Each structure stands twice: as structure tokens, then as C-alpha cells.
Amino acid sequence: DGGITQSPKYLFRKEGQNVTLSCEQNLNHDAMYWYRQDPGQGLRLIYYSQIVNDFQKGDIAEGYSVSREKKESFPLTVTSAQKNPTAFYLCATRKVNGETQYFGPGTRLLVL
Amino acid sequence: RKEVEQDPGPFNVPEGATVAFNCTYSNSASQSFFWYRQDCRKEPKLLMSVYSSGNEDGRFTAQLNRASQYISLLIRDSKLSDSATYLCVVNIVDNFNKFYFGSGTKLNVKP
């Protein structure tokens, strides 16, 4: 089955804790993106990566970190420095030279 | 100023109605344009790309006006299943493809 998987579907974070959200794709897409969506708002870009071992900060990167060690995987870590992490996190991919983004099912992060 | 602006709605329409959504974008360097559909608590899914010549897919018609930096989506013969939030998205190709999302327009189609 081709596609983008994100896990877990729901994630609970305690104060001061780092948590990692998984994004895996078998579409062979080069570019991968992480977005955050808050209620009633558009998606905001956290980080993006065009190739393995390279990634760039998006508009709201503070308090987040990523890695891109494999083409298929682009995990996002929400660190304790992110003071308001409760949101819907979406991973997306795009073919090189492609115009369209495709989204994973998302992870909903809640703070306990 | 936001890169992409949309009327948040909600638009409450009866089944069978025609409804139109509008979207404006601020960056004249924007190169690609899209409408995505997002159901409640789900990921966005591509509805259609938008071209200067306009394009149609069944009951859906999208138009782009580059001079006015304006994008529209027309839905004819609305179905209950069209109820969702519609996101306007623009793409700016600088040194990397970055996508900018509107906050979405909510559509409720009533029986």
C-alpha cells in the first residue's frame, strides 16, 4: 500500500518532556514537510527537507527539531522549549519537480 | 498581512445550491494554485489545481485571476457530502517549493 503514515494518531506530552512524531512514506518522494494546524487556522510550516541529510527551518521552527537520515523518514521532535505544543501536526511529501503536496493522516498532540 | 486570505464562513447552503468561495493572495511571485478539501479532524486532500485558463472537474470549477491575485472555487448542485472546509493554497518557488495555506472556508450543505 503506497502512502504516508504518521504515528501515533494521538500523543500526550507532559510538561518538560520531548516527544517525537513519526512520518514515513513509500511514495519515493524527495521533499517532505511538517506543518502545524491550530483550530480555525491555516497550516503553518515548521520544517522542510528536499533531500536526505538536508532540512530547512520554516516559519515556526522554534521549539522543534527534525532529522532526515533516510528518504522515507522525516521525524519531528517537539521539545520542552515549545511552550504551546497542542495542535494537529501534518506531514506532507512532494515529488521533485512536482507541484502537488500529499498529506499523511496527522498526529494530534495534547499536553497533560 | 497573511499570504493567503479566505472568508472563514461558514457557508450554510441547501442541497442542490451553487456556492462560490474566493481567495486572495499577496505575493505576485506565486506560481501554482490549489484548492484542498479538509474534513473535520482529517488531513487536507487535493481537490484540484487552478490554472489561468480555468479548469473544471465535474461539479467543481476553479478560476485564477493573476492580475487581481484572486482565486475562486464554484461548486454546483451541492451535495451533503460536500460539507467540509476548503483550503486555498499557493506555491512560491524560490529556492524551494513553499506552500502557503489560507485558514479555510467552511461549507455546510443542509438537506
Side-chain angles (χ1 to χ4, degrees):
Chain A
D1 228 17
I4 305 165
T5 56
Q6 290 187 243
S7 61
K9 189 172 181 179
Y10 296 95
L11 185 58
F12 299 92
R13 194 191 93 164
K14 295 180 182 177
E15 292 284 339
Q17 189 181 38
N18 292 354
V19 292
T20 297
L21 285 60
S22 167
C23 178
E24 304 281 330
Q25 56 109 351
N26 60 7
L27 301 170
N28 200 34
H29 288 179
D30 290 280
M32 298 186 76
Y33 303 74
W34 273 106
Y35 293 93
R36 168 183 173 138
Q37 187 176 33
D38 293 279
Q41 295 194 33
L43 279 66
R44 291 184 291 165
L45 182 64
I46 306 173
Y47 268 97
Y48 56 96
S49 168
Q50 191 170 8
I51 56 172
V52 174
N53 292 323
D54 183 63
F55 47 82
Q56 305 294 329
K57 291 183 179 180
D59 301 315
I60 55 163
E62 185 174 349
Y64 300 97
S65 66
V66 293
S67 63
R68 186 87 188 271
E69 297 175 2
K70 299 186 299 181
K71 188 175 184 178
E72 302 79 17
S73 179
F74 191 40
L76 174 74
T77 296
V78 184
T79 74
S80 56
Q82 173 48 245
K83 297 306 178 190
N84 185 22
T86 296
F88 188 38
Y89 289 86
L90 288 155
C91 177
T93 70
R94 179 182 59 81
K95 276 192 291 192
V96 67
N97 299 325
E99 286 188 327
T100 308
Q101 285 191 316
Y102 299 90
F103 287 88
T107 292
R108 208 162 286 277
L109 177 61
L110 300 164
V111 176
L112 295 176
Chain B
R1 183 183 175 184
K2 289 183 181 178
E3 292 279 351
V4 181
E5 304 246 24
Q6 292 182 251
D7 180 344
F11 284 58
N12 297 307
V13 303
E15 268 188 294
T18 295
V19 61
F21 305 140
N22 303 320
C23 165
T24 57
Y25 61 95
S26 60
N27 193 325
S28 59
S30 300
Q31 294 178 267
S32 303
F33 309 88
F34 310 89
W35 284 102
Y36 277 75
R37 171 194 169 125
Q38 186 174 27
D39 292 291
C40 189
R41 305 178 75 82
K42 298 283 191 179
E43 75 273 24
K45 293 189 177 175
L46 179 67
L47 181 65
M48 57 200 308
S49 301
V50 189
Y51 305 111
S52 296
S53 54
N55 49 307
E56 187 173 311
D57 182 2
R59 298 182 293 109
F60 299 85
T61 301
Q63 296 276 356
L64 167 64
N65 183 322
R66 284 188 184 269
S68 302
Q69 296 183 195
Y70 170 99
I71 305 160
S72 65
L73 177 68
L74 183 77
I75 305 175
R76 290 181 298 278
D77 188 22
S78 300
K79 311 291 184 193
L80 295 176
S81 57
D82 294 333
S83 296
T85 297
Y86 291 83
L87 305 177
C88 176
V89 183
V90 305
N91 174 222
I92 300 172
V93 181
D94 36 35
N95 59 349
F96 192 76
N97 274 285
K98 287 184 73 174
F99 293 78
Y100 295 90
F101 291 75
S103 56
T105 299
K106 187 167 175 57
L107 172 65
N108 295 316
V109 181
K110 309 285 190 183

